């Protein structure tokens, strides 16, 4: 899934890109080691907005000091990104290190375009948070390394909550529902803005239920939308939506939910931390009333499940500098520089032990507690086609919100989901 980095408050899930780059004619062997690194140039591709300039500068200095080699960071744009990286990985001289979207990693790994990073995992990844690391593994092998992540939080209007007499943020889902009910009774505000097709919030609820959107049937994947766990997640979504007047057949981008919130007549919405900046841009006066909290789960000790969007770093299988590329990963993903990235960008780092770096960033502080229990869409190459417009799962959501039984609504779209899962990649 392609996600966009919109501000330094926090970020969303991202995709990757690369452009072809020439190999260094000197010391071009994949097996080159420290004795021959000096004089080589490593090409690293990151997406526009992913790496703060200070982080890039510091990692570059550390890498060049430690290896004697040069590193050439090349920033990629979003348009046409999937085709660019697919093409680059098939060439003889691809970029050495690539930023790849976490949910897209399996598709690239399945083509044979990514190098096995088991040795990098052994060296620096023993304590990677399992929920954020899972997307970098395909078919049991470590084809990438987790870099950074973000998830949804509750963004709320403190003034409206105070007007309703609410003095503390909720710690459980039932407390949250009670607060929304209170806002509806005691203020003229819409308690929650939640359009009917906020699909990634729904995916988080499925993750929280322990549900899966696909299942294996013989040698292929098929829809699991009729699973009672998915239905239970949809019923929870329906409960949330009962506090909202948002359209049932639109997603959070139509209209932009942050712009609706910016009008000052909404108690809360569920979104990425950077969406608060969008609200402030639309209405500067709302900035003083912004607050954030973790989406509450059933019990106070376990936040709600969330979709984790983000990026991994990978090494091209055809790189002529594989050992040097892996050394770059060991530096860039070290506690020092992973922590620095988290502090500068407000992202969720790849280790729980580094989450202290988001202190002072309220959106990131709200996002971090849910990361350990987060997850993604199905990590299979076949999944990407399912989310193509029109997304059949969004249609399912709207049907249920309009009163259709979840099992019947699932039956209506499962043939389309299965058709997409069967597409050749």
């Amino acid at each position: 899934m392609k996600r966009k980095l919109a501000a330094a408050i926090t970020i969303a899930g991202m995709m990757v890109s690369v452009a072809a780059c020439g190999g260094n004619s000197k010391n071009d062997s994949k097996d080159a080691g420290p004795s021959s690194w000096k004089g080589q140039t490593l090409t690293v591709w990151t997406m526009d907005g992913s790496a703060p300039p200070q982080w890039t500068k510091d990692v570059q200095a550390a890498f060049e000091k430690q290896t004697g080699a040069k590193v050439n960071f090349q920033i990629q744009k979003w348009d046409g990104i999937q085709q660019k990286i697919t093409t680059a990985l098939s060439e003889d001289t691809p970029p050495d290190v690539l930023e790849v979207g976490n949910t897209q990693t399996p598709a690239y790994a399945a083509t044979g375009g990514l190098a096995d990073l088991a040795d990098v995992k052994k060296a620096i990844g023993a304590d990677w948070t399992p929920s954020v690391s899972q997307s970098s593994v395909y078919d049991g092998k470590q084809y990438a390394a987790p870099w950074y992540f973000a998830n949804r939080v509750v963004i709320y209007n403190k003034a409206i909550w105070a007007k309703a007499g609410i003095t503390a943020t909720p710690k459980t889902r039932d407390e949250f529902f009670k607060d929304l009910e209170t806002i509806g009774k005691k203020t003229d505000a819409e308690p929650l803005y939640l359009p009917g097709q906020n699909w990634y919030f729904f995916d988080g609820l499925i993750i929280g239920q322990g549900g899966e959107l696909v299942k294996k049937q013989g040698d292929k994947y098929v829809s699991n939308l009729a699973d009672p766990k998915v239905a239970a997640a949809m019923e929870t979504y329906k409960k949330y939506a009962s506090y909202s007047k948002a359209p049932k057949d639109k997603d959070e981008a139509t209209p932009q939910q942050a712009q609706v919130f910016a009008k000052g007549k909404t108690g809360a919405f569920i979104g990425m931390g950077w969406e608060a900046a969008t609200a402030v841009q639309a209405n500067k006066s709302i900035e003083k009333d912004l607050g954030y909290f973790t989406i509450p789960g059933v019990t106070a000790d376990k936040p709600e499940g969330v979709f984790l969007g983000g990026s991994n770093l990978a090494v091209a299988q055809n790189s002529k500098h594989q050992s040097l590329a892996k050394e770059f990963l060991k530096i860039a993903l070290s506690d020092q520089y992973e922590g620095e990235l988290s502090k500068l960008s407000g992202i969720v780092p790849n280790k729980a032990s580094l989450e202290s770096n988001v202190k002072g960033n309220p959106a990131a502080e709200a996002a971090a507690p849910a990361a350990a229990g987060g997850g993604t869409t199905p990590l299979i190459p076949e999944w990407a086609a399912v989310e193509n417009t029109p997304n059949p799962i969004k249609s399912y959501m709207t049907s249920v919100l309009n009163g259709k039984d979840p099992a019947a609504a699932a039956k209506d779209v499962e043939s389309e989901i299965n058709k997409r899962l069967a597409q050749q990649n």
Side-chain angles (χ1 to χ4, degrees):
M1 173 197 72
K2 183 164 78 174
R3 319 271 325 152
K4 224 175 181 182
L5 177 62
I9 297 177
T10 187
I11 51 178
M14 293 190 171
M15 294 214 41
V16 245
S17 79
V18 289
C21 65
N24 191 323
S25 61
K26 181 180 180 180
N27 296 324
D28 248 6
S29 171
K30 289 184 180 181
D31 297 324
S35 62
S36 58
W37 285 341
K38 189 174 182 180
Q40 292 191 34
T41 298
L42 194 75
T43 300
V44 177
W45 294 77
T46 60
M47 294 303 299
D48 187 15
S50 292
Q54 186 62 52
W55 182 88
T56 301
K57 179 181 178 181
D58 293 343
V59 169
Q60 183 172 15
F63 174 80
E64 295 183 356
K65 179 179 180 181
Q66 182 164 317
T67 65
K70 300 292 183 181
V71 59
N72 178 18
F73 284 97
Q74 297 184 5
I75 298 173
Q76 302 303 305
K77 300 296 182 182
W78 295 98
D79 291 344
I81 202 60
Q82 295 186 58
Q83 187 57 50
K84 281 184 78 174
I85 191 170
T86 299
T87 300
L89 289 175
S90 69
E91 296 176 343
D92 290 335
T93 56
D96 303 294
V97 176
L98 311 89
E99 176 187 343
V100 293
N102 62 335
T103 61
Q104 293 296 320
T105 302
Y108 297 130
T111 68
L114 304 182
D116 188 338
L117 300 183
D119 47 352
V120 175
K121 162 78 172 178
K122 183 177 181 181
I124 63 170
D127 54 347
W128 285 338
T129 303
S131 60
V132 302
S133 181
Q134 64 179 345
S135 67
S136 58
V137 177
Y138 176 71
D139 201 22
K141 292 185 178 181
Q142 192 82 36
Y143 283 109
W147 192 20
Y148 63 79
F149 306 87
N151 51 265
R152 283 160 179 76
V153 299
V154 180
I155 301 172
Y156 73 106
N157 187 315
K158 293 179 180 179
I160 291 175
W161 284 54
K163 186 176 180 180
I166 303 170
T167 59
T169 55
K171 303 303 180 187
T172 67
R173 185 191 295 163
D174 284 344
E175 288 178 6
F176 192 11
F177 289 151
K178 183 178 179 181
D179 289 342
L180 294 174
E181 186 174 344
T182 299
I183 291 169
K185 289 179 178 179
K186 295 188 176 183
T187 77
D188 59 358
E190 180 179 14
L192 178 72
Y193 184 84
L194 180 66
Q197 298 183 347
N198 190 331
W199 142 241
Y200 289 110
F201 173 50
F202 174 47
D203 186 50
L205 296 177
I206 295 171
I207 291 165
Q209 286 284 343
E212 298 285 349
L213 283 163
V214 298
K215 60 185 177 182
K216 200 74 178 288
Q217 191 174 83
D219 62 350
K220 63 181 181 180
Y221 287 96
V222 297
S223 170
N224 196 39
L225 199 61
D227 183 358
K229 291 181 179 179
V230 176
M234 190 61 219
E235 289 298 337
T236 299
Y237 190 102
K238 189 174 182 179
K239 175 71 172 178
Y240 274 112
S242 70
Y243 298 102
S244 176
K245 299 176 183 177
K248 295 180 174 63
D249 60 349
K250 304 294 182 184
D251 63 20
E252 66 274 24
T254 358
Q256 287 289 341
Q257 60 182 2
Q259 293 179 350
V260 175
F261 178 80
K263 297 175 182 178
K265 298 179 181 180
T266 303
F269 73 99
I270 295 167
M272 305 301 292
W274 57 259
E275 291 182 76
T278 301
V280 172
Q281 186 176 22
N283 177 15
K284 179 68 175 176
S285 67
I286 204 168
E287 186 170 15
K288 66 183 185 304
D289 295 324
L290 285 174
Y292 311 82
F293 59 87
T294 307
I295 304 172
V298 175
T299 58
D301 62 332
K302 186 178 180 182
E304 184 56 82
V306 291
F307 171 81
L308 292 168
S311 286
N312 298 323
L313 290 177
V315 173
Q317 176 63 32
N318 289 341
S319 167
K320 303 301 190 296
H321 309 284
Q322 277 196 18
S323 64
L324 185 59
K326 291 176 180 180
E327 191 66 20
F328 172 85
L329 294 185
K330 292 174 186 178
I331 295 170
L333 299 173
S334 66
D335 286 1
Q336 179 178 352
Y337 296 111
E338 179 74 4
E340 180 183 6
L341 180 70
S342 182
K343 184 174 294 185
L344 290 170
S345 293
I347 51 87
V348 177
N350 61 18
K351 298 180 181 181
S353 61
L354 298 176
E355 288 178 2
S356 60
N357 287 283
V358 303
K359 188 174 182 179
N361 184 321
E365 286 182 314
T376 67
T377 51
L379 293 169
I380 56 174
E382 298 88 345
W383 179 257
V386 176
E387 291 191 50
N388 288 341
T389 303
N391 184 337
I393 299 177
K394 289 184 175 182
S395 299
Y396 160 85
M397 296 171 70
T398 296
S399 292
V400 175
L401 292 177
N402 282 329
K404 198 155 194 173
D405 178 75
K411 187 176 181 180
D412 286 344
V413 300
E414 282 195 318
S415 61
E416 176 62 24
I417 294 174
N418 291 339
K419 177 183 176 181
R420 297 185 185 199
L421 287 170
Q423 289 181 15
Q424 296 297 315
N425 293 283

